Amino acid sequence: MTREEFEELVAEALDRIPPELTRLMDNVAVFVEDEPPADEPELLGLYEGTPLTERGEWYAGVLPDRITVYRGPTLRMVERESATGSGAATGSGRGAGGAGDAEGAGGGQGAEGGREGREGGNGREGRNGREGVVEEVEITVVHEIAHHFGIDDERLHALGYG
């Protein structure tokens, strides 16, 4: 799948977010990158910023939060699932800077939450090709937007967006 096709899937996933939620999103930009940082090669998406639940009067004049969806790991994971017939996605958040917690939803500037693909079933067996990529992109976009709203990985797993 080309980068342009993948970017279109991310845009379509964003368009499927209910308007009542997108109206609440504030100071956040979404990007597509081919590959994640070398130390996290399985990362499907990453939220970097200050969740809405942690913003206070001090929050002004800051750069936008950043949501990044990674093309390479997503395509490889779906390809692996197609080849093995097994589901693979589980979430993995990480805290960074300030009061960020280990689940990626913590406070202060620099909170990060990410989503990794890993081997192991997740109830989404049998996906393949474009359909699998569409589903995985949608799950990743929702997962990272949820971090923008302050929802941690534990809750996302419980909701099926881990």
Side-chain angles (χ1 to χ4, degrees):
M1 173 175 291
T2 68
R3 182 178 173 116
E4 292 76 24
E5 291 170 320
F6 192 84
E7 288 174 351
E8 183 62 31
L9 292 182
V10 171
E12 289 170 8
L14 287 166
D15 288 344
R16 285 191 289 275
I17 303 294
E20 332 42 271
L21 293 179
T22 57
R23 279 193 293 272
L24 298 173
M25 292 173 64
D26 182 47
N27 199 29
V28 62
V30 178
F31 298 91
V32 170
E33 297 288 340
D34 287 327
E35 295 295 334
D39 63 333
E40 296 190 78
E42 298 297 314
L43 198 63
L44 303 179
L46 181 66
Y47 170 77
E48 300 170 283
T50 305
L52 294 174
T53 55
E54 301 296 326
R55 296 180 185 180
E57 293 177 19
W58 59 267
Y59 188 84
V62 299
L63 292 174
D65 291 1
R66 181 179 176 103
I67 291 173
T68 307
V69 180
Y70 296 106
R71 178 176 162 265
T74 303
L75 298 179
R76 289 190 296 273
M77 186 185 75
V78 172
E79 183 177 314
R80 236 181 1 253
E81 288 178 4
S82 296
T84 64
S86 68
T90 61
S92 173
R94 62 189 171 130
D101 68 13
E103 293 302 322
Q109 294 189 44
E112 296 183 12
R115 182 161 185 272
E116 287 188 24
R118 294 202 182 131
E119 293 301 324
N122 67 357
R124 292 192 290 269
E125 288 81 5
R127 303 177 311 149
N128 56 39
R130 183 175 174 82
E131 178 183 308
V133 176
V134 168
E135 181 180 343
E136 205 55 60
V137 165
E138 187 168 308
I139 291 166
T140 300
V141 166
V142 169
H143 182 104
E144 302 310 334
I145 288 173
H147 285 313
H148 177 67
F149 283 101
I151 300 171
D152 66 21
D153 280 324
E154 182 178 344
R155 181 68 177 138
L156 287 168
H157 283 280
L159 295 170
Y161 288 97

